[in-house]
Amino acid sequence: MKILREFGAFIKMAGGMFRKPENSKMYWKQFMLQCNDIGIGSLGIICIISVFIGAVSTLQTAYQLVSPIIPKTTIAQIVRDTVILEFAPTLSCIVLCGVVGSKIASELGNMRVSEQIDALEIMGINTKGYLVLPKILAGLVTIPLLIMLAMVLGIWGGRLAGTAAGIIDPSIFDTGLVMAFKAYNVYFALIKSFVFAFIITAVPAFYGYNVKGGALEIGHSSTRAVVVSCVLLLLADYILSALLL
């Protein structure tokens, strides 16, 4: 019953986000601020994670492919497909659940506890549209871009690690990258990134917006938001893979 109540409250919150804005310029400014916080603020950690994920993928793939019959171009193909299909979208978004999700939940929770949201509502501002909707839209714009960057950096990190360790020649790696390439894999990863972006922003926003109590409850709400987001993200990953692959 608790799950059904929370789902109903989420639908109610989502329905209140799409009322006509009181001031479009105010909403646009809030949207740009959220794009900066979510996109630019997460850029560094995504770059670091992506490079090392690609590097580790190359080393572990080369460690397992010990047969001389298998060409070394296979290493590049495996690294390319694993980074595009799973590592870049899923692992990056799990990290973003902690980075972005906890920030959104704690920010809205603090505003709710300090009665800032109540003050905005008294002023006649639709707080669901002004505080929640820009965060979700900013996530839907910036997180897929971060995932695309993670794909490129992951493959580049794999190439760099393979060259530095003497595992595979750069020209052979580049040849393997274009062999049997399926553009659908990139489209599939982008579909996942949009779904994940919605989960990463909407779920923490819901828990932060509806928090009750004080500072302790804000911490509990942030933790619960991150946990629920990660579980839903993995569930969505499985469902999308089963339906689209």
Side-chain angles (χ1 to χ4, degrees):
M1 293 301 296
K2 183 178 180 181
I3 295 175
L4 293 177
R5 284 197 301 268
E6 290 187 348
F7 180 73
F10 177 81
I11 296 299
K12 184 178 179 181
M13 184 191 76
M17 291 189 301
F18 296 101
R19 291 195 318 213
K20 184 178 179 180
E22 297 81 8
N23 188 333
S24 299
K25 292 182 179 180
M26 182 175 64
Y27 279 61
W28 174 256
K29 181 179 180 181
Q30 185 71 8
F31 169 73
M32 296 305 296
L33 288 173
Q34 295 303 322
C35 285
N36 179 72
D37 288 344
I38 296 174
I40 305 301
S42 306
L43 188 60
I45 186 66
I46 290 298
C47 291
I48 295 172
I49 289 173
S50 302
V51 172
F52 281 100
I53 284 176
V56 172
S57 299
T58 297
L59 297 177
Q60 292 186 352
T61 302
Y63 171 75
Q64 297 179 60
L65 296 180
V66 295
S67 175
I69 301 176
I70 302 176
K72 288 195 173 184
T73 53
T74 306
I75 296 175
Q77 295 179 54
I78 294 175
V79 171
R80 177 198 66 201
D81 291 339
T82 53
V83 167
I84 291 176
L85 286 173
E86 193 63 27
F87 286 162
T90 305
L91 291 183
S92 298
C93 286
I94 288 177
V95 173
L96 290 177
C97 279
V99 176
V100 175
S102 61
K103 181 181 182 300
I104 291 175
S106 60
E107 177 184 339
L108 290 176
N110 184 62
M111 293 184 69
R112 171 64 74 183
V113 170
S114 61
E115 300 182 350
Q116 296 181 50
I117 293 179
D118 297 332
L120 289 173
E121 289 178 344
I122 292 173
M123 294 167 61
I125 296 175
N126 175 20
T127 55
K128 298 182 182 69
Y130 178 65
L131 298 176
V132 178
L133 185 59
K135 291 177 170 56
I136 296 177
L137 294 180
L140 291 174
V141 171
T142 58
I143 291 179
L145 296 176
L146 291 174
I147 299 306
M148 293 176 64
L149 178 63
M151 295 178 196
V152 175
L153 291 178
I155 294 173
W156 178 78
R159 184 179 186 273
L160 182 65
T163 303
I167 295 172
I168 182 172
D169 188 82
S171 60
I172 298 177
F173 191 94
D174 294 340
T175 301
L177 284 180
V178 298
M179 292 178 62
F181 174 71
K182 296 180 180 179
Y184 177 76
N185 292 346
V186 178
Y187 300 144
F188 173 70
L190 290 177
I191 293 172
K192 286 171 62 173
S193 67
F194 280 106
V195 176
F196 293 169
F198 179 78
I199 293 173
I200 291 170
T201 52
V203 174
F206 167 74
Y207 281 104
Y209 186 85
N210 293 285
V211 69
K212 296 179 181 179
L216 184 61
E217 283 72 18
I218 293 176
H220 290 165
S221 177
S222 298
T223 302
R224 184 172 176 79
V226 172
V227 172
V228 173
S229 297
C230 289
V231 172
L232 291 178
L233 192 147
L234 294 174
L235 179 62
D237 186 23
Y238 172 77
I239 293 174
L240 290 172
S241 298
L243 293 176
L244 300 179
L245 290 181

